[in-house]
Amino acid sequence: MTSDSFYREPVPAEWAHRHLLDLERLTPDEIRLLLDTATLFKEATGGCRRKLGVLSGFTVVNLFFENSTRTRVSFALAARRLGADTVDFTTSSSSLSKGESFIDTARNLEAMGIDAVVVRHSTPGTPHLLAQHLQVGVINAGDGPHEHPTQGLLDIFSIRERLGRIEGTTVALVGDIAHSRTARSNIWGLTKLGARVILCGPPTLVSDRWKECGVEVSHDLDAILPRCDVVNLLRIQFERQSTRPFPSVQEYAHLYAMTGERLRQARDDLLILAPGPINRGVEVTAEVADCSRSLILDQVTNGLAVRMAVLWLICGPRAAPTTTPLGSHGGRLV
Ligand code: CP
């Protein structure tokens, strides 16, 4: 796919998924297809600003059971830039409060003729459950601490856009690995594309068992920094913790915050990522968050490109199945 009008063609046959539930089960080629499609959408929309109308007549529902700024708004904007209608389902004013189940709620929304559901929920596996009950596309916008596939994709997209490659790069994920869905999606996506991943943080938040997934584990940020091309700074998710995993926020920041002093010790071309929301003074100082090596706001823009790509691959037109003497095949969605 290289032409300006790629989106007028059917979705490539290499994409055979009806849902985007996680990065764990995608192949490296499928991840590359998502990234390449996002690049084409970014170019075709003048940096994610113009409308294309390729999903005109489609409807995307945002079904968020946890708070969100970036993911919720950028899925809505991405859908509108593709010409789709969007509905923001608000749980507090819904009939869930009258005892209607989650699945019944989703099936009633589906009965109104929607095409895709973007779901965020505090319980891991919620999008996977929904996908078993709905015919329309289900997109995981974050399921508890399990995965946040579009965040992983936009992080990887931002690195690839700046460095031109993922294979052979060294990326440190620093902070609350134990509770971070972004960490899991980054780990799957980056390792499948050939990056070396280092997980760094206090032992209470970074288990040695992660080594079984082919990543390196460190508890010493200053020791690993000189080897890193990228550091992705993950927020401490206090809302998911029953006990505090370190004595004080000040002590955590002393050991693991990305500060101006640490930046000056690192390589000149070190890239700074953070999925947001950021807590200035905890995982990153204002000086670093706002410096020229920070991609934090580029990540947000790239989130639009990635989510346009995901919505188009999930909802876009399929090539007509080919009929053979053995039956129909092609356009198979799983
Ligand atoms: N990065 C991210 O998921 O941000 P939101 O929680 O604001 O959507």
Side-chain angles (χ1 to χ4, degrees):
M1 287 195 302
T2 51
S3 86
D4 283 349
S5 58
F6 72 93
Y7 46 81
R8 296 197 197 102
E9 304 292 324
V11 166
E14 303 92 285
W15 181 259
H17 296 281
R18 186 190 303 165
H19 313 290
L20 177 67
L21 302 177
D22 47 52
L23 297 191
E24 180 179 359
R25 68 186 72 191
L26 295 188
T27 66
D29 281 344
E30 287 169 337
I31 295 173
R32 278 187 213 103
L33 175 65
L34 274 160
L35 299 174
D36 292 345
T37 307
T39 301
L40 292 168
F41 270 116
K42 188 170 179 180
E43 287 167 4
T45 55
C48 304
R49 291 178 177 275
R50 283 201 303 272
K51 274 184 96 162
L52 291 176
V54 294
L55 290 186
S56 173
F58 287 74
T59 303
V60 176
V61 174
N62 263 344
L63 193 58
F64 277 54
F65 292 82
E66 279 190 333
N67 293 340
S68 169
T69 297
R70 281 146 290 271
T71 314
R72 181 199 281 261
V73 174
S74 73
F75 261 115
L77 280 177
R80 285 178 212 163
R81 301 258 154 95
L82 298 181
D85 294 325
T86 59
V87 175
D88 234 349
F89 177 84
T90 312
T91 51
S92 58
S93 58
S94 76
S95 289
L96 283 159
S97 62
K98 300 176 203 163
E100 189 167 31
S101 77
F102 172 69
I103 296 297
D104 280 337
T105 300
R107 291 185 68 195
N108 275 265
L109 293 170
E110 183 179 53
M112 294 182 212
I114 65 171
D115 299 285
V117 173
V118 180
V119 62
R120 171 173 285 192
H121 202 283
S122 57
T123 303
T126 299
H128 307 67
L129 177 70
L130 212 49
Q132 289 169 15
H133 289 270
L134 299 185
Q135 299 304 309
V136 299
V138 177
I139 300 168
N140 182 359
D143 59 328
H146 174 230
E147 275 222 41
H148 190 351
T150 56
Q151 181 68 49
L153 288 168
L154 74 90
D155 291 347
I156 295 167
F157 180 98
S158 302
I159 297 168
R160 193 179 78 153
E161 185 177 58
R162 190 59 77 99
L163 299 182
R165 66 194 167 93
I166 296 297
E167 189 168 10
T169 59
T170 299
V171 180
L173 306 174
V174 181
D176 186 354
I177 307 300
H179 303 96
S180 174
R181 52 197 176 205
T182 294
R184 279 161 187 73
S185 292
N186 266 268
I187 290 166
W188 288 117
L190 286 166
T191 54
K192 282 170 194 270
L193 298 188
R196 167 184 282 273
V197 175
I198 309 175
L199 307 181
C200 183
T204 46
L205 293 175
V206 187
S207 164
D208 273 350
R209 291 203 60 188
W210 277 110
K211 290 176 185 167
E212 293 166 22
C213 294
V215 300
E216 187 178 329
V217 169
S218 168
H219 307 299
D220 187 342
L221 179 59
D222 295 307
I224 62 159
L225 259 186
R227 290 194 284 131
C228 294
D229 297 297
V230 180
V231 288
N232 195 346
L233 304 165
L234 306 178
R235 185 174 64 87
I236 304 298
Q237 309 220 354
F238 291 111
E239 73 275 20
R240 298 194 200 282
Q241 299 166 4
S242 50
T243 55
R244 187 160 281 203
F246 37 75
S248 71
V249 170
Q250 288 80 2
E251 185 180 30
Y252 176 83
H254 176 67
L255 293 172
Y256 296 108
M258 196 64 202
T259 60
E261 192 177 338
R262 286 203 165 99
L263 197 61
R264 287 182 277 282
Q265 305 297 324
R267 290 170 34 173
D268 286 347
D269 54 357
L270 176 74
L271 296 178
I272 306 295
L273 270 70
I278 58 170
N279 289 145
R280 291 170 185 257
V282 181
E283 70 272 15
V284 61
T285 62
E287 178 188 357
V288 175
D290 301 327
C291 78
S292 60
R293 287 192 248 164
S294 165
L295 301 188
I296 293 173
L297 292 178
D298 298 280
Q299 288 171 264
V300 178
T301 305
N302 292 335
L304 277 171
V306 161
R307 288 168 181 135
M308 280 192 274
V310 169
L311 288 168
W312 184 71
L313 288 168
I314 298 289
C315 298
R318 261 60 192 180
T322 311
T323 303
T324 73
L326 296 175
S328 292
H329 64 84
R332 191 172 64 88
L333 298 177
V334 291

